[in-house]
């Protein structure tokens, strides 16, 4: 059985084709992620709602609703395995996600629209869930931070990840503006319990908050993560997000036989 080690802007995953097989996904997630230090595990399954089904697990074996960077990677996996065409639909726990192949290593996905978007869940800290139920994200502006500040910021991020304001726990996304359309984003992820090099749904959540606040009038956000740059496009009317697109790399690092 093949297992692909894949990366979406530094956010890395172990990926298998689970169709027609009785696999213990949670246990596989823990074992395979330990092998490479990957952030998460994904398996393709059959679906009667999309081209295929995505099962997503964090590295600790906990199940996740969806993953933006993971979705781009699973779209490449499915395309190259002949499971789905260049334009595809993916069933996830958070709803249907649509994906498009733009090039060998470049993919775009349509993230789930916010099922919850609270600009003031805890003071000025926003809360977003993409999908229903959705991936939970706390959105925290930290003006002027740099990558060199990440260890100093970690205690605050870790405390917020478990804060009662976020009943499901939350990924905590720290951001600062670099210019009118560019932000630096640092995400502390539940299930990984540490920073990851990028978070696609996190960047989508940051973009949703900024657009809703009127701080992203053009609707296109460039999000610089430690592992790479992602682009988020927000569409909507009347302050309500109607379409959320995430574009970025989907790379194959190594293929293992397991």
């Amino acid at each position: 059985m093949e297992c692909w080690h894949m990366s979406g802007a530094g956010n890395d995953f172990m990926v298998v084709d689970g169709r027609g097989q009785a696999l213990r996904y949670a246990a596989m997630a823990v074992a395979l992620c330990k092998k490479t230090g990957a952030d998460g595990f994904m398996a393709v399954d059959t679906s009667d709602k999309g081209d295929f089904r995505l099962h997503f697990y964090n590295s600790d074996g906990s199940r996740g609703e969806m993953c933006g960077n993971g979705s781009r990677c699973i779209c490449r996996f499915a395309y190259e395995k002949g499971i789905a065409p260049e334009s595809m639909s993916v069933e996830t726990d958070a709803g249907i996600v649509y994906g498009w192949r733009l090039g060998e290593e470049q993919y775009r996905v349509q993230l789930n629209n916010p099922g919850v978007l609270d600009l003031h869940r805890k003071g000025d800290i926003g809360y977003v869930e993409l999908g229903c139920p959705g991936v939970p994200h706390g959105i925290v502006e930290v003006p002027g931070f740099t990558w060199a500040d990440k260890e100093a910021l970690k205690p605050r991020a870790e405390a917020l990840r478990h804060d009662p304001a976020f009943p499901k726990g939350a990924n905590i996304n720290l951001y600062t503006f670099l210019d009118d359309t560019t932000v630096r984003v640092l995400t502390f992820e539940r299930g990984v319990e540490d920073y990851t090099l990028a978070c696609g749904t996190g960047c989508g959540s940051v973009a949703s908050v900024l657009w809703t606040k009127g701080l992203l009038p053009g609707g296109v956000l460039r999000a610089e993560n430690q592992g790479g740059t992602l682009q988020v496009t927000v569409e909507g009317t009347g302050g309500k997000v109607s379409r959320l697109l995430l574009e970025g790399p989907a790379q194959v690092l190594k293929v293992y036989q397991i």
Side-chain angles (χ1 to χ4, degrees):
M1 181 182 190
E2 283 188 352
C3 177
W4 289 23
H5 185 198
M6 303 188 72
S7 172
N11 201 189
D12 63 334
F13 312 94
M14 305 300 280
V15 186
V16 302
D17 182 356
R19 294 175 301 165
Q21 303 188 66
L23 302 176
R24 297 174 59 233
Y25 290 142
M28 287 184 74
V30 173
L32 290 174
C33 289
K34 280 183 179 179
K35 183 181 183 73
T36 60
D39 298 320
F41 165 84
M42 298 185 292
V44 168
D45 203 351
T46 55
S47 171
D48 58 4
K49 298 178 180 178
D51 290 306
F52 60 92
R53 178 79 161 90
L54 163 63
H55 297 286
F56 178 82
Y57 288 80
N58 297 299
S59 59
D60 66 354
S62 60
R63 191 173 178 97
E65 296 87 350
M66 206 278 283
C67 176
N69 288 322
S71 294
R72 290 200 322 282
C73 289
I74 205 80
C75 284
R76 177 175 180 181
F77 180 87
Y79 172 77
E80 297 200 3
K81 285 285 193 179
I83 298 167
E86 290 191 340
S87 178
M88 63 195 84
S89 58
V90 187
E91 181 187 355
T92 78
D93 287 4
I96 296 294
V97 169
Y98 297 95
W100 298 268
R101 180 180 186 265
L102 304 179
E104 183 180 0
E105 293 192 344
Q106 196 77 0
Y107 279 74
R108 177 189 295 135
V109 293
Q110 181 176 339
L111 300 173
N112 306 105
N113 292 332
V116 179
L117 202 165
D118 182 349
L119 297 179
H120 301 286
R121 175 57 61 94
K122 182 180 174 68
D124 289 333
I125 298 174
Y127 178 71
V128 179
E129 289 190 24
L130 299 183
C132 188
V135 182
H137 287 279
I139 312 300
V140 187
E141 183 175 11
V142 182
F145 84 83
T146 69
W147 302 132
D149 300 320
K150 68 176 188 176
E151 291 306 316
L153 292 169
K154 184 178 285 188
R156 182 186 183 193
E158 189 169 12
L160 285 171
R161 178 260 180 271
H162 297 283
D163 193 284
F166 310 121
K168 297 199 299 184
N171 300 326
I172 302 301
N173 304 274
L174 312 177
Y175 77 92
T176 183
F177 276 100
L178 300 180
D179 60 38
D180 290 346
T181 60
T182 307
V183 293
R184 176 178 292 127
V185 182
L186 180 62
T187 302
F188 189 96
E189 290 203 33
R190 63 171 189 162
V192 178
E193 306 310 330
D194 204 347
Y195 293 126
T196 54
L197 294 178
C199 180
T201 53
C203 292
S205 296
V206 170
S208 297
V209 165
L210 296 179
W211 182 85
T212 303
K213 286 183 173 181
L215 299 177
L216 195 65
V220 178
L221 181 69
R222 179 182 171 89
E224 293 191 359
N225 301 266
Q226 281 189 284
T229 300
L230 300 172
Q231 178 175 292
V232 183
T233 302
V234 186
E235 300 175 4
T237 56
K240 184 177 178 64
V241 176
S242 60
R243 198 164 186 244
L244 196 58
L245 301 172
L246 175 71
E247 182 177 328
Q251 299 172 307
V252 180
L253 303 179
K254 187 173 181 178
V255 177
Y256 293 91
Q257 293 295 330
I258 59 172

